[in-house]
């Protein structure tokens, strides 16, 4: 045991009750960090998620803990990240859902990629229901498969991976700001996952693969990425994710404060 966070490998059905939840994720980050005593009654009483029922708050907290509290350094960074662009928030929520849901990871980092590179870069609910039937347990009923497929498509739509919530749904690519990509690289650096920093479902799901990914990495201020043949050097400018946030988020705050004067 290394004590490092790791991507989830055991299948589960939490997604059937909670999709990407961009606004609720932001609300969770605003209230919680790695030292916060998070419980449903407190979140309900303090309206963390607005006027939701206690039962719904319990569902949201179960998912937020799995997606973010399981990565303490990341949660600390997200808690202090006050000025985050919508594109960055969307990418981060997508990657954390991938980290904690192997079905969603295979769907977005595998199946959608294959469809996007095929002759018809689109998908339908029926196609996804069939994919879920192939991937999920044989005991799942058709109604469960349909519900899970709908949640997969809803999360992918919120993440910008599909461009419509009606069939046929064109498969697209979201905008990934530099700050989001740097966050992912530093997060993966301290996380156990299958693949490598240059070959994984997290970057490939948003269209960053091969030469395209390497070109983006060369332009990141938080890295000094270099490749010569088979020799790769990421040139990490900071020790870890928290240090990256301390340097980069503080500079962003100073820049925004100066612009307001």
């Amino acid at each position: 045991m290394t004590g490092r966070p790791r991507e989830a490998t055991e299948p589960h059905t939490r997604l059937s009750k909670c999709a990407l939840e961009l606004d609720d994720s932001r609300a969770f980050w605003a209230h919680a960090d790695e030292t916060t005593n998070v419980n449903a009654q407190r979140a309900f009483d303090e309206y963390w998620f607005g006027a939701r029922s206690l039962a719904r708050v319990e569902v949201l907290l179960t998912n937020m803990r799995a997606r973010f509290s399981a990565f303490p350094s990341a949660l600390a960074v997200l808690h202090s990240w006050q000025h985050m662009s919508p594109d960055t928030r969307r990418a981060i929520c997508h990657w954390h859902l991938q980290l904690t849901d192997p079905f969603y990871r295979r769907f977005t980092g595998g199946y959608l990629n294959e469809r996007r590179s095929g002759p018809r870069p689109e998908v339908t609910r029926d196609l996804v229901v069939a994919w879920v039937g192939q991937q999920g347990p044989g005991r799942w009923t058709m109604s469960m498969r349909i519900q899970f497929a709908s949640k997969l498509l809803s999360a992918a739509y919120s993440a910008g991976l599909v461009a419509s919530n009606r069939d046929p749904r064109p498969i697209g690519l979201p905008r990934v700001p530099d700050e989001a990509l740097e966050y992912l690289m530093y997060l993966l650096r301290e996380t156990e996952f299958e693949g490598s920093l240059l070959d994984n479902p997290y970057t490939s799901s948003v269209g960053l693969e091969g030469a395209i990914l390497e070109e983006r990495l060369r332009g990141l201020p938080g890295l000094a990425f270099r490749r010569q043949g088979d020799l790769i050097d990421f040139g990490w400018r900071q020790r870890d994710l928290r240090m990256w946030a301390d340097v980069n988020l503080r500079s962003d705050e100073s820049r925004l404060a100066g612009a307001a004067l």
Side-chain angles (χ1 to χ4, degrees):
M1 296 291 292
T2 64
R4 299 172 64 198
R6 61 179 60 192
E7 66 180 8
T9 56
E10 292 297 322
H12 57 79
T13 59
R14 287 195 301 268
L15 187 65
S16 65
K17 296 183 178 180
C18 188
L20 201 61
E21 312 298 341
L22 296 174
D23 291 336
D24 290 329
S25 295
R26 178 173 58 178
F28 180 76
W29 305 339
H31 291 93
D33 60 19
E34 76 272 35
T35 65
T36 304
N37 178 21
V38 178
N39 63 77
Q41 189 64 54
R42 175 183 174 183
F44 175 76
D45 292 340
E46 296 179 0
Y47 290 90
W48 284 18
F49 306 108
R52 305 291 185 86
S53 68
L54 180 59
R56 181 57 182 167
V57 169
E58 289 173 342
V59 169
L60 288 171
L61 281 183
T62 296
N63 283 272
M64 296 299 108
R65 290 191 193 102
R67 295 179 193 182
F68 304 110
S69 297
F71 304 86
S73 294
L75 182 56
V77 169
L78 296 171
H79 179 70
S80 64
W81 199 335
Q82 297 183 12
H83 299 285
M84 180 188 295
S85 73
D87 287 333
T88 294
R89 181 170 71 250
R90 179 174 60 187
I92 287 175
C93 288
H94 162 65
W95 289 324
H96 274 272
L97 181 54
Q98 281 191 310
L99 278 166
T100 55
D101 192 317
F103 278 125
Y104 182 74
R105 187 165 66 244
R106 289 200 297 268
F107 177 65
T108 55
Y111 180 69
L112 288 185
N113 281 356
E114 294 170 3
R115 297 289 304 180
R116 186 172 61 237
S117 60
R120 299 185 65 181
E122 61 187 27
V123 72
T124 66
R125 192 184 71 161
D126 287 347
L127 285 172
V128 178
V129 170
W131 181 85
V132 170
Q134 297 168 357
Q135 301 291 319
R139 66 180 181 275
W140 278 11
T141 64
M142 180 56 70
S143 62
M144 180 61 182
R145 295 176 189 178
I146 292 173
Q147 180 187 17
F148 204 78
S150 296
K151 287 296 186 179
L152 285 170
L153 285 168
S154 176
Y157 176 67
S158 296
L161 302 179
V162 295
S164 173
N165 56 8
R166 290 189 176 186
D167 291 340
R169 309 170 198 226
I171 299 174
L173 291 173
R175 181 177 176 272
V176 180
D178 284 351
E179 63 182 10
L181 184 54
E182 283 192 359
Y183 172 92
L184 176 66
M185 289 293 107
Y186 275 90
L187 174 62
L188 291 180
R189 183 190 184 196
E190 55 193 50
T191 300
E192 293 187 16
F193 66 99
E194 185 177 352
S196 69
L197 290 172
L198 294 180
D199 183 12
N200 61 76
Y202 306 101
T203 54
S204 66
S205 68
V206 293
L208 297 177
E209 300 179 279
I212 295 175
L213 174 59
E214 292 186 21
E215 185 63 27
R216 284 292 306 272
L217 293 177
R218 289 188 186 93
L220 295 181
L223 300 175
F225 179 82
R226 292 172 294 180
R227 178 169 191 158
Q228 187 172 10
D230 293 333
L231 298 178
I232 298 170
D233 180 10
F234 274 80
W236 305 100
R237 297 193 185 277
Q238 309 303 332
R239 183 179 67 249
D240 53 28
L241 180 61
R242 292 188 195 225
M243 183 66 72
W244 170 83
D246 286 343
V247 172
N248 288 274
L249 299 187
R250 186 184 302 119
S251 63
D252 287 346
E253 292 287 342
S254 300
R255 176 177 52 79
L256 290 170
L261 294 177

